Amino acid sequence: MTAPRSAEQVHAALAAQIVQGRLAPGAPLAETALAEQFGLSRTPVREALQKLAGEGLVERGPRRAFVVRRMSADALRHLFEALGELEALCAGMAARRMSAAEIAMLNRILHGDGPGVDYADVNIRFHDALRQGAQNQVLAGLLEDLNRRSLPWRNAQFTQRAERIDTSRAEHRAILEAVTARDADRAAALMRAHMGAALGTVLELIATR
Amino acid sequence: MTAPRSAEQVHAALAAQIVQGRLAPGAPLAETALAEQFGLSRTPVREALQKLAGEGLVERGPRRAFVVRRMSADALRHLFEALGELEALCAGMAARRMSAAEIAMLNRILHGDGPGVDYADVNIRFHDALRQGAQNQVLAGLLEDLNRRSLPWRNAQFTQRAERIDTSRAEHRAILEAVTARDADRAAALMRAHMGAALGTVLELIATR
DNA sequence: ACTGTGCGATATGTATACATGTTGTGTTGA
DNA sequence: TCAACACAACATGTATACATATCGCACAGT
């Protein structure tokens, strides 16, 4: 592992560590320590931390120090609700706007997968395709942002239960059907329910911890 | 007016100038020149520029220099569409969740003001109250963000035509009625139409420029 | 005359030194 | 013994000096 050589690489490295949960919420991010760790001066480290703060992955703690962002149960609910509503919004828009070729691609993502492809991959590609299908770069950017911010908590439980995965697959197929039928309202409602179910289990797991 | 937190003051000053249109899209923001202008070193200026870039008010041009963000017609449409959809989403949620007291306050904002209050103020307070009424800090934050990003173009035409203001007032009252009736779908649809009308005129004005 | 290469200027990226503010601890007084 | 004040240590905020890359211009060669 070659040491990062620029502010952007420091940013990417820290973001990855936070998203993967290798840096727990509340963990201090002292500029001097990180600079020494990355073999750089404080300046690019500072720059990376400020960018992370702007993205909501990091916040200021006591002593104006940067710490990995902590979120209250309420804040988490708000984040997950926003994520679900925006995904639903995009699904509805995608049902109206996706081309036949794009819908065919969506179909291939869900059904064309052999046994070698795991659910997590299909899940990401399915949601990505719908985001693109909404044909609004601003909404896509917002969703990407919310996804990053929620990943640390969604990754807290790595292994989805098998029955939940089966249910999710069925929900994906139902959304695809609604999109194929150009039924925007149904696509949005199904996506809202899908996200609510998926994120609800995460919330429960976090609450019981 | 030199106070501590110089970087934040530079950020606020530049953001205000960009939002007010005093810095035109594409205008170069050289670090050295700004540092001299503010009587500071490049470090806090740099910090402010990076924060502005994270907020989408500034982008990188040739020579890696910062310039005031330019937006294509498509990007502007996407931004305005996202703004309208999120406002509609919040309006629907607010119709379900606002307390009676909050709705009464909304009523006072629209009807309780004398002729001395201008439309722009009422408009801002009305939309703010609805955003708060949705009771989701994340969505409120996203909307605040999109508002900032769109302000440079919304402010391009300072004076609303009188007939448009009257129409907007009527639309506000209709939304308030829907919220009072707890009709989320109607509130959302009315808000979507309201935003579409308000932003549509801006888009036309910019296109004909 | 046009094009390609090389050099120079200028702005950004990085490193380091200095200023400042906060916090924790130790000492002193009641 | 407890509380309050002062000092010291460490972290962030700012300034400055240095490194590096990119763009424009000029000159030379075809």
Side-chain angles (χ1 to χ4, degrees):
Chain A
M1 157 175 129
T2 61
R5 291 239 152 256
S6 78
E8 285 185 14
Q9 290 187 309
V10 173
H11 169 266
L14 288 178
Q17 290 194 22
I18 294 172
V19 162
Q20 291 168 11
R22 299 178 54 186
L23 281 171
L29 298 171
E31 296 174 3
T32 308
L34 288 174
E36 191 170 349
Q37 175 181 338
F38 283 110
L40 293 169
S41 75
R42 276 176 50 213
T43 311
V45 171
R46 232 179 122 72
E47 187 173 323
L49 287 174
Q50 284 160 356
K51 192 173 178 185
L52 288 170
E55 293 168 343
L57 287 176
V58 151
E59 64 183 353
R60 323 286 285 206
R63 269 180 107 109
R64 312 270 314 163
F66 287 103
V67 299
V68 179
R69 176 158 188 174
R70 294 161 296 192
M71 293 193 81
S72 68
D74 264 354
L76 258 184
R77 265 197 296 277
H78 289 180
L79 177 57
F80 282 6
E81 180 180 60
L83 197 52
E85 291 293 341
L86 257 64
E87 284 273 4
L89 179 60
C90 273
M93 292 168 63
R96 288 194 194 90
R97 297 180 177 175
M98 282 181 93
S99 68
E102 284 176 316
I103 294 180
M105 172 65 82
L106 205 62
N107 207 324
R108 273 199 298 278
I109 289 173
L110 284 191
H111 296 104
D113 45 4
V117 196
D118 69 338
Y119 168 73
D121 253 26
V122 172
N123 187 41
I124 289 175
R125 286 199 293 156
F126 179 73
H127 286 266
D128 271 356
L130 275 181
R131 275 205 282 279
Q132 292 307 317
Q135 294 176 21
N136 185 311
Q137 291 301 111
V138 174
L139 276 177
L142 291 181
L143 263 173
E144 205 174 323
D145 206 49
L146 291 183
N147 250 303
R148 238 204 318 276
R149 283 164 62 178
S150 66
L151 261 182
W153 283 270
R154 298 171 72 178
N155 281 345
Q157 40 111 29
F158 290 112
T159 58
Q160 298 266 10
R161 280 193 294 262
E163 73 249 38
R164 174 67 203 135
I165 290 183
D166 287 340
T167 315
S168 278
R169 281 213 177 90
E171 290 165 356
H172 283 174
R173 282 193 295 270
I175 292 168
L176 171 61
E177 280 175 28
V179 170
T180 304
R182 302 293 187 184
D183 189 337
D185 289 340
R186 196 167 104 235
L190 287 172
M191 177 60 90
R192 182 165 20 239
H194 170 59
M195 296 298 290
L199 300 177
T201 61
V202 177
L203 268 181
E204 281 176 21
L205 267 170
I206 292 174
T208 58
R209 191 183 49 187
Chain B
M1 44 162 106
T2 51
R5 299 281 90 78
S6 314
E8 286 184 11
Q9 291 204 335
V10 173
H11 169 265
L14 288 178
Q17 290 195 18
I18 293 172
V19 160
Q20 292 168 10
R22 298 179 54 185
L23 282 171
L29 298 171
E31 295 173 3
T32 308
L34 287 174
E36 191 169 348
Q37 175 180 337
F38 282 103
L40 294 168
S41 75
R42 277 177 49 213
T43 309
V45 171
R46 233 179 121 72
E47 188 173 321
L49 287 173
Q50 285 160 358
K51 194 173 179 187
L52 288 170
E55 293 168 342
L57 287 177
V58 151
E59 64 183 353
R60 312 206 64 119
R63 269 182 112 105
R64 308 273 306 167
F66 287 102
V67 299
V68 179
R69 176 157 188 176
R70 295 160 297 193
M71 292 193 81
S72 67
D74 265 354
L76 258 183
R77 266 196 295 275
H78 290 179
L79 177 56
F80 282 6
E81 181 181 59
L83 197 51
E85 291 294 340
L86 257 63
E87 284 275 4
L89 179 59
C90 273
M93 290 168 62
R96 290 196 193 86
R97 296 181 178 174
M98 282 181 92
S99 69
E102 285 176 316
I103 293 180
M105 172 65 81
L106 205 61
N107 207 323
R108 271 197 300 278
I109 289 173
L110 285 191
H111 295 105
D113 42 7
V117 196
D118 69 337
Y119 169 73
D121 251 27
V122 173
N123 187 43
I124 289 175
R125 287 199 293 157
F126 179 73
H127 286 267
D128 271 355
L130 274 180
R131 275 206 281 278
Q132 292 307 315
Q135 293 177 21
N136 184 310
Q137 292 300 109
V138 175
L139 276 178
L142 292 181
L143 262 175
E144 206 175 323
D145 205 48
L146 291 184
N147 251 304
R148 239 202 317 275
R149 284 164 62 178
S150 66
L151 261 183
W153 282 270
R154 298 171 71 178
N155 281 346
Q157 40 110 30
F158 290 112
T159 59
Q160 297 265 11
R161 279 194 292 264
E163 73 250 38
R164 175 66 203 137
I165 291 183
D166 287 340
T167 316
S168 278
R169 281 214 176 91
E171 288 165 358
H172 283 173
R173 283 193 295 269
I175 293 170
L176 171 60
E177 281 176 28
V179 169
T180 305
R182 302 293 188 188
D183 188 337
D185 289 339
R186 196 167 104 237
L190 288 172
M191 177 62 89
R192 183 165 19 238
H194 171 58
M195 296 298 289
L199 300 178
T201 62
V202 177
L203 268 180
E204 282 175 21
L205 267 170
I206 293 174
T208 58
R209 193 184 49 186

